[in-house]
Amino acid sequence: MGVGKSTVGRLLAERLGVDHRDTDDDIVAAQGRSIAEIFVDEGESAFRAIEKQAVRTALAEHEGVLALGGGAILDADTRALLAGERVVYLSMDVEEAVKRTGLNAARPLLAVNPRKQWRELMEARRHLYEEVATAVVATDGRTPEEVTRSALDALEMKQA
């Protein structure tokens, strides 16, 4: 959350001359409401089912850079679909997360005691991110352009 998936994804797509797609945007467009509203109205499990289908569809239809929501990798089928794909895990620590997002209530999974919940989410997810990642790129204290360059380098897709 707040790591820069969408921003860096757009920059990567631009540098590579391909299209960019964000599954969070796909979900919002298809559902006609925000992700926070889906969480409140239907709960996390319903959102995760919607997200799983959105990722499956996007992977089948899209050949450019694809940004996935932070919880997409919780699903084993999604992780299996990502096998063999170039996947960049953008990492950051809690202090950076506070700076970027303020860990505010607009993030449904962080509504109560956000620092603690963020740490718990990362402890539960980090190994899954690393499992699917082709490359891990730290974002702490770095501009989106710096992160993009590091991602390209890590994927050996260096741009002049």
Side-chain angles (χ1 to χ4, degrees):
M1 287 176 256
V3 75
K5 297 177 300 286
S6 299
T7 301
V8 171
R10 280 190 292 276
L11 288 170
L12 277 171
E14 180 183 299
R15 302 285 192 296
L16 295 169
V18 297
D19 289 331
H20 172 263
R21 184 168 176 174
D22 187 317
T23 56
D24 284 351
D25 293 342
D26 291 351
I27 292 167
V28 170
Q31 296 293 311
R33 56 195 167 142
S34 73
I35 290 171
E37 289 172 318
I38 298 168
F39 265 82
V40 169
D41 294 345
E42 299 182 41
E44 183 177 1
S45 62
F47 171 76
R48 295 296 174 208
I50 295 165
E51 180 179 52
K52 178 179 178 175
Q53 186 55 51
V55 171
R56 177 178 297 282
T57 299
L59 284 169
E61 295 176 353
H62 185 72
E63 294 188 13
V65 174
L66 182 62
L68 304 182
I73 50 77
L74 295 172
D75 181 75
D77 293 336
T78 298
R79 291 193 308 276
L81 287 172
L82 293 171
E85 300 288 341
R86 291 179 178 182
V87 177
V88 177
Y89 161 35
L90 301 178
S91 68
M92 73 177 166
D93 64 24
V94 71
E95 289 76 22
E96 187 76 6
V98 169
K99 285 185 220 171
R100 292 186 188 185
T101 68
L103 296 181
N104 60 34
R107 308 280 183 174
L109 292 178
L110 302 177
V112 178
N113 195 349
R115 283 178 191 258
K116 179 178 182 263
Q117 288 179 304
W118 189 91
R119 281 191 182 100
E120 288 173 359
L121 282 174
M122 285 310 301
E123 287 172 15
R125 295 178 179 182
R126 183 172 285 113
H127 73 284
L128 299 174
Y129 294 142
E130 291 170 349
E131 175 187 321
V132 300
T134 307
V136 178
V137 176
T139 65
D140 302 84
R142 301 172 82 190
T143 68
E145 292 77 14
E146 291 169 330
V147 173
T148 300
R149 277 194 300 278
S150 291
L152 289 167
D153 288 347
L155 294 171
E156 297 182 23
M157 303 172 80
K158 296 176 177 75
Q159 301 292 301

